[in-house]
Amino acid sequence: MHPVLWVSAVAVFAVIGIQTVIYVRAARAAAPAAEMTSGEVTRAFRAGAIASIGPSLAVCLIAMTLIGVLGTPGVLVRIGLIGSAPYELTSAGLVAGSVGAEMGGDGWTQRVFAAALLAMGIGGAGWMVVTLILTPVLKRSQTRLESSRKGGAAVMGIVTAAAMFGAFGAFGIQQVAAGLAPTLVALTSALVMAVLMLLARRAGLAWLREWALGIALIAGLVAAVVLTTLGVGA
């Protein structure tokens, strides 16, 4: 791979590291306004880090399968930054198909490879531009609603909860619609999560609440491997 690609990859991860530090400092500075103690903030960050283990493992598995096609720097930047394997594969596949080539096969030349990276980059940039533009607008709307004397804060709480239920509900429905194997994987993760949360509540295990999501995600990955080995198709 050309050194420029490696420099670009390192630069992207450097920006991510800087953003992480800024976010952590901003969260700690805003904690008193949210009536959170330093210990609660630390536990929140720890729970988030633990919960990210499962998704990170999934992304790593996908990245290893793509390195042979897109190269290590390209995979590190695209999958590590965006993390959407279906989009990345679709973009690269469309570019390859438009010139009669196959990803990693016949016709996969340097020009096609560069065009695939460009297509993936443009798509990812679109998400970032939309976020950059709409975040301040949504923030102002949230502030106005929360400052309303007619239960604005309560409305925001309802809207936030509804958005979370809608987002995760949509993800769940997508898995069920994908076939038998994805449905069983989703049910396995949900069952493990429910059991762990019930156990944590009854036994008073605060640490288990932090680890529950990560364990449930890993259980889902194990279930997927087992089902694939047994030949349970989609």
Side-chain angles (χ1 to χ4, degrees):
M1 288 294 169
H2 198 281
V4 173
L5 293 177
W6 281 108
V7 171
S8 300
V10 172
V12 168
F13 278 88
V15 171
I16 294 175
I18 294 173
Q19 289 177 330
T20 302
V21 173
I22 294 174
Y23 174 79
V24 171
R25 294 181 62 181
R28 291 191 178 279
E35 298 182 353
M36 294 181 64
T37 64
S38 178
E40 290 175 335
V41 173
T42 301
R43 286 195 296 272
F45 279 126
R46 185 169 61 243
I50 294 170
S52 68
I53 294 175
S56 298
L57 287 176
V59 171
C60 288
L61 292 175
I62 294 170
M64 287 188 291
T65 63
L66 294 178
I67 285 178
V69 179
L70 299 177
T72 304
V75 171
L76 287 177
V77 173
R78 301 305 312 158
I79 300 298
L81 180 61
I82 303 299
S84 177
Y87 167 77
E88 306 296 348
L89 289 173
T90 301
S91 300
L94 288 174
V95 170
S98 65
V99 295
E102 296 181 3
M103 286 184 57
D106 295 336
W108 187 251
T109 63
Q110 290 184 348
R111 289 187 177 183
V112 178
F113 170 72
L117 287 182
L118 179 61
M120 291 186 289
I122 292 175
W127 299 350
M128 295 179 182
V129 170
V130 170
T131 302
L132 181 64
I133 295 174
L134 293 184
T135 298
V137 177
L138 295 176
K139 178 61 177 178
R140 288 195 296 269
S141 300
Q142 176 182 345
T143 302
R144 291 178 181 176
L145 185 58
E146 289 179 342
S147 61
S148 174
R149 297 182 180 179
K150 298 181 180 181
V155 172
M156 277 306 304
I158 295 174
V159 170
T160 302
M164 294 295 290
F165 278 116
F168 288 105
F171 290 145
I173 293 174
Q174 288 175 359
Q175 297 306 311
V176 173
L180 177 60
T183 300
L184 293 176
V185 171
L187 291 176
T188 300
S189 296
L191 180 60
V192 171
M193 184 70 178
V195 171
L196 292 176
M197 293 303 294
L198 181 61
L199 180 62
R201 179 179 298 178
R202 293 192 173 183
L205 302 175
W207 65 269
L208 189 56
R209 292 191 182 93
E210 299 177 1
W211 283 85
L213 181 57
I215 295 174
L217 290 170
I218 294 176
L221 291 174
V222 173
V225 173
V226 172
L227 291 172
T228 302
T229 303
L230 295 177
V232 179

PDB file of all heavy atoms in Angstrom, residues 22-23 57 69 88 107 113 116 118 122 138 144 160 212 214 219 233:
ATOM      1  N   ILE A  22     -11.755  15.391  23.812  1.00  0.00           N
ATOM      2  CA  ILE A  22     -12.632  16.561  23.937  1.00  0.00           C
ATOM      3  C   ILE A  22     -13.989  16.153  24.493  1.00  0.00           C
ATOM      4  O   ILE A  22     -14.554  16.823  25.366  1.00  0.00           O
ATOM      5  CB  ILE A  22     -12.790  17.263  22.572  1.00  0.00           C
ATOM      6  CG1 ILE A  22     -11.447  17.853  22.126  1.00  0.00           C
ATOM      7  CG2 ILE A  22     -13.850  18.351  22.647  1.00  0.00           C
ATOM      8  CD1 ILE A  22     -11.480  18.437  20.723  1.00  0.00           C
ATOM      9  N   TYR A  23     -14.517  15.035  24.017  1.00  0.00           N
ATOM     10  CA  TYR A  23     -15.828  14.568  24.469  1.00  0.00           C
ATOM     11  C   TYR A  23     -15.791  14.210  25.951  1.00  0.00           C
ATOM     12  O   TYR A  23     -16.707  14.571  26.707  1.00  0.00           O
ATOM     13  CB  TYR A  23     -16.252  13.350  23.652  1.00  0.00           C
ATOM     14  CG  TYR A  23     -17.524  12.719  24.147  1.00  0.00           C
ATOM     15  CD1 TYR A  23     -18.766  13.263  23.842  1.00  0.00           C
ATOM     16  CD2 TYR A  23     -17.489  11.573  24.940  1.00  0.00           C
ATOM     17  CE1 TYR A  23     -19.934  12.690  24.303  1.00  0.00           C
ATOM     18  CE2 TYR A  23     -18.651  10.992  25.410  1.00  0.00           C
ATOM     19  CZ  TYR A  23     -19.868  11.557  25.086  1.00  0.00           C
ATOM     20  OH  TYR A  23     -21.012  10.972  25.551  1.00  0.00           O
ATOM     21  N   LEU A  57     -16.053  -6.298  18.280  1.00  0.00           N
ATOM     22  CA  LEU A  57     -15.647  -7.614  17.787  1.00  0.00           C
ATOM     23  C   LEU A  57     -16.270  -7.894  16.427  1.00  0.00           C
ATOM     24  O   LEU A  57     -15.615  -8.432  15.528  1.00  0.00           O
ATOM     25  CB  LEU A  57     -16.072  -8.697  18.790  1.00  0.00           C
ATOM     26  CG  LEU A  57     -15.279  -8.769  20.097  1.00  0.00           C
ATOM     27  CD1 LEU A  57     -15.886  -9.815  21.027  1.00  0.00           C
ATOM     28  CD2 LEU A  57     -13.815  -9.089  19.828  1.00  0.00           C
ATOM     29  N   VAL A  69      -9.292  -7.337   0.100  1.00  0.00           N
ATOM     30  CA  VAL A  69      -9.896  -6.659  -1.050  1.00  0.00           C
ATOM     31  C   VAL A  69      -9.569  -5.178  -1.071  1.00  0.00           C
ATOM     32  O   VAL A  69      -9.174  -4.630  -2.099  1.00  0.00           O
ATOM     33  CB  VAL A  69     -11.424  -6.856  -1.055  1.00  0.00           C
ATOM     34  CG1 VAL A  69     -12.053  -6.121  -2.234  1.00  0.00           C
ATOM     35  CG2 VAL A  69     -11.768  -8.337  -1.117  1.00  0.00           C
ATOM     36  N   GLU A  88     -20.295  -0.220   2.882  1.00  0.00           N
ATOM     37  CA  GLU A  88     -18.984  -0.252   2.251  1.00  0.00           C
ATOM     38  C   GLU A  88     -18.953  -1.292   1.136  1.00  0.00           C
ATOM     39  O   GLU A  88     -18.440  -1.047   0.037  1.00  0.00           O
ATOM     40  CB  GLU A  88     -17.907  -0.578   3.295  1.00  0.00           C
ATOM     41  CG  GLU A  88     -17.898   0.326   4.512  1.00  0.00           C
ATOM     42  CD  GLU A  88     -17.559   1.767   4.159  1.00  0.00           C
ATOM     43  OE1 GLU A  88     -17.114   2.024   3.031  1.00  0.00           O
ATOM     44  OE2 GLU A  88     -17.727   2.637   5.020  1.00  0.00           O
ATOM     45  N   GLY A 107     -10.361  -7.762 -13.184  1.00  0.00           N
ATOM     46  CA  GLY A 107     -10.634  -6.358 -13.443  1.00  0.00           C
ATOM     47  C   GLY A 107     -10.478  -5.442 -12.252  1.00  0.00           C
ATOM     48  O   GLY A 107     -10.685  -4.227 -12.382  1.00  0.00           O
ATOM     49  N   PHE A 113      -9.934   0.220  -7.709  1.00  0.00           N
ATOM     50  CA  PHE A 113      -9.753   0.283  -6.258  1.00  0.00           C
ATOM     51  C   PHE A 113      -9.845   1.718  -5.764  1.00  0.00           C
ATOM     52  O   PHE A 113     -10.534   2.009  -4.768  1.00  0.00           O
ATOM     53  CB  PHE A 113      -8.393  -0.317  -5.898  1.00  0.00           C
ATOM     54  CG  PHE A 113      -7.973  -0.093  -4.469  1.00  0.00           C
ATOM     55  CD1 PHE A 113      -8.597  -0.770  -3.436  1.00  0.00           C
ATOM     56  CD2 PHE A 113      -6.957   0.803  -4.174  1.00  0.00           C
ATOM     57  CE1 PHE A 113      -8.194  -0.554  -2.121  1.00  0.00           C
ATOM     58  CE2 PHE A 113      -6.556   1.016  -2.868  1.00  0.00           C
ATOM     59  CZ  PHE A 113      -7.179   0.334  -1.836  1.00  0.00           C
ATOM     60  N   ALA A 116     -13.389   2.930  -5.897  1.00  0.00           N
ATOM     61  CA  ALA A 116     -14.190   2.352  -4.827  1.00  0.00           C
ATOM     62  C   ALA A 116     -13.973   3.112  -3.522  1.00  0.00           C
ATOM     63  O   ALA A 116     -14.931   3.427  -2.793  1.00  0.00           O
ATOM     64  CB  ALA A 116     -13.845   0.873  -4.659  1.00  0.00           C
ATOM     65  N   LEU A 118     -13.021   6.189  -3.259  1.00  0.00           N
ATOM     66  CA  LEU A 118     -13.612   7.516  -3.430  1.00  0.00           C
ATOM     67  C   LEU A 118     -15.125   7.462  -3.211  1.00  0.00           C
ATOM     68  O   LEU A 118     -15.694   8.328  -2.540  1.00  0.00           O
ATOM     69  CB  LEU A 118     -13.299   8.056  -4.822  1.00  0.00           C
ATOM     70  CG  LEU A 118     -13.882   9.438  -5.157  1.00  0.00           C
ATOM     71  CD1 LEU A 118     -13.344  10.482  -4.191  1.00  0.00           C
ATOM     72  CD2 LEU A 118     -13.550   9.813  -6.598  1.00  0.00           C
ATOM     73  N   ILE A 122     -17.105   9.510  -0.297  1.00  0.00           N
ATOM     74  CA  ILE A 122     -18.149  10.507  -0.578  1.00  0.00           C
ATOM     75  C   ILE A 122     -19.408  10.182   0.223  1.00  0.00           C
ATOM     76  O   ILE A 122     -20.053  11.068   0.801  1.00  0.00           O
ATOM     77  CB  ILE A 122     -18.447  10.559  -2.084  1.00  0.00           C
ATOM     78  CG1 ILE A 122     -17.235  11.126  -2.841  1.00  0.00           C
ATOM     79  CG2 ILE A 122     -19.688  11.398  -2.356  1.00  0.00           C
ATOM     80  CD1 ILE A 122     -17.397  11.106  -4.347  1.00  0.00           C
ATOM     81  N   LEU A 138     -30.892  21.102  15.827  1.00  0.00           N
ATOM     82  CA  LEU A 138     -31.611  20.258  16.778  1.00  0.00           C
ATOM     83  C   LEU A 138     -31.315  20.671  18.220  1.00  0.00           C
ATOM     84  O   LEU A 138     -32.196  20.592  19.089  1.00  0.00           O
ATOM     85  CB  LEU A 138     -31.238  18.796  16.560  1.00  0.00           C
ATOM     86  CG  LEU A 138     -31.663  18.194  15.209  1.00  0.00           C
ATOM     87  CD1 LEU A 138     -31.149  16.763  15.074  1.00  0.00           C
ATOM     88  CD2 LEU A 138     -33.178  18.215  15.069  1.00  0.00           C
ATOM     89  N   ARG A 144     -35.036  25.160  23.390  1.00  0.00           N
ATOM     90  CA  ARG A 144     -36.294  25.906  23.453  1.00  0.00           C
ATOM     91  C   ARG A 144     -37.411  25.065  24.051  1.00  0.00           C
ATOM     92  O   ARG A 144     -38.223  25.550  24.847  1.00  0.00           O
ATOM     93  CB  ARG A 144     -36.688  26.370  22.054  1.00  0.00           C
ATOM     94  CG  ARG A 144     -35.765  27.450  21.489  1.00  0.00           C
ATOM     95  CD  ARG A 144     -36.185  27.827  20.078  1.00  0.00           C
ATOM     96  NE  ARG A 144     -35.291  28.839  19.507  1.00  0.00           N
ATOM     97  CZ  ARG A 144     -35.380  29.292  18.257  1.00  0.00           C
ATOM     98  NH1 ARG A 144     -36.329  28.799  17.440  1.00  0.00           N
ATOM     99  NH2 ARG A 144     -34.547  30.198  17.823  1.00  0.00           N
ATOM    100  N   THR A 160     -37.111  11.329  23.533  1.00  0.00           N
ATOM    101  CA  THR A 160     -35.854  10.582  23.561  1.00  0.00           C
ATOM    102  C   THR A 160     -36.107   9.092  23.720  1.00  0.00           C
ATOM    103  O   THR A 160     -35.512   8.255  23.020  1.00  0.00           O
ATOM    104  CB  THR A 160     -34.967  11.083  24.706  1.00  0.00           C
ATOM    105  OG1 THR A 160     -34.714  12.480  24.533  1.00  0.00           O
ATOM    106  CG2 THR A 160     -33.642  10.342  24.724  1.00  0.00           C
ATOM    107  N   ALA A 212     -23.612  -6.404  31.202  1.00  0.00           N
ATOM    108  CA  ALA A 212     -24.711  -7.175  30.614  1.00  0.00           C
ATOM    109  C   ALA A 212     -24.791  -7.035  29.098  1.00  0.00           C
ATOM    110  O   ALA A 212     -24.914  -8.034  28.371  1.00  0.00           O
ATOM    111  CB  ALA A 212     -26.035  -6.762  31.258  1.00  0.00           C
ATOM    112  N   GLY A 214     -22.517  -6.056  26.874  1.00  0.00           N
ATOM    113  CA  GLY A 214     -21.363  -6.661  26.207  1.00  0.00           C
ATOM    114  C   GLY A 214     -21.450  -8.177  26.188  1.00  0.00           C
ATOM    115  O   GLY A 214     -21.165  -8.817  25.160  1.00  0.00           O
ATOM    116  N   ALA A 219     -22.695 -13.231  23.340  1.00  0.00           N
ATOM    117  CA  ALA A 219     -23.534 -14.425  23.256  1.00  0.00           C
ATOM    118  C   ALA A 219     -24.197 -14.518  21.885  1.00  0.00           C
ATOM    119  O   ALA A 219     -24.330 -15.614  21.312  1.00  0.00           O
ATOM    120  CB  ALA A 219     -24.587 -14.400  24.357  1.00  0.00           C
ATOM    121  N   GLY A 233     -29.556 -21.901   7.906  1.00  0.00           N
ATOM    122  CA  GLY A 233     -29.455 -20.794   6.978  1.00  0.00           C
ATOM    123  C   GLY A 233     -30.411 -19.682   7.292  1.00  0.00           C
ATOM    124  O   GLY A 233     -31.221 -19.760   8.212  1.00  0.00           O
TER     125      GLY A 233
END
